[in-house]
Amino acid sequence: MTRTAGPALRLTVIVGEHEVWHHKPLHAEIVHRAHAAGLAGASVFRGVEGFGASSVIHTQRLLSLSEDLPVAVIVVDAEERVRGFLPRLAELVGERGLVTVEPCEVIAFPERRPDGGADTAAGERG
């Protein structure tokens, strides 16, 4: 498998960790749908503090407000693939979160061989 490098889009979806979709965590449903759509990958990051439209600050430091910390689902792929996923995402998120799409550049580093040399194409073995 060869990694591609070049221009791409970064899709970030920020929701509360306790938001659900049919009794399943919303962030997990986003990841599963991104996978089913064939996107390159998705990662979920849990925030330690934040606030949204409600202006209530949620933080790990206050036990009473730590129930709904922010989570960010991040997907990076080619522009047409990310934009093609947006209608599926809209069905899930609606007005419950923040969605951003930003241009970015993917950089592929060659994998290191056990002997310390670099392969010319990541993942290819000769």
Side-chain angles (χ1 to χ4, degrees):
M1 173 172 87
T2 301
R3 295 182 188 187
T4 58
L9 288 183
R10 178 179 53 237
L11 168 67
T12 304
V13 184
I14 301 173
V15 295
E17 70 179 329
H18 292 293
E19 291 284 344
V20 295
W21 174 263
H22 297 285
H23 309 289
K24 183 177 182 180
L26 179 58
H27 60 273
E29 184 65 20
I30 294 168
V31 168
H32 288 271
R33 288 200 185 191
H35 183 261
L39 293 170
S43 297
V44 178
F45 300 92
R46 185 174 188 248
V48 296
E49 190 166 357
F51 71 94
S54 70
S55 295
V56 175
I57 295 177
H58 299 273
T59 178
Q60 287 182 316
R61 293 178 288 150
L62 301 173
L63 185 59
S64 63
L65 296 177
S66 66
E67 287 119 20
D68 198 24
L69 292 169
V71 293
V73 181
I74 299 176
V75 175
V76 176
D77 206 331
E79 180 174 359
E80 62 274 3
R81 296 172 67 81
V82 170
R83 294 209 182 276
F85 181 65
L86 291 176
R88 296 180 191 186
L89 182 62
E91 174 189 342
L92 293 173
V93 176
E95 296 181 15
R96 296 189 284 180
L98 173 69
V99 176
T100 64
V101 178
E102 306 154 276
C104 66
E105 182 178 358
V106 174
I107 300 171
F109 294 102
E111 290 184 16
R112 302 307 272 174
R113 296 190 313 237
D115 65 5
D119 287 342
T120 56
E124 292 182 6
R125 302 285 183 233

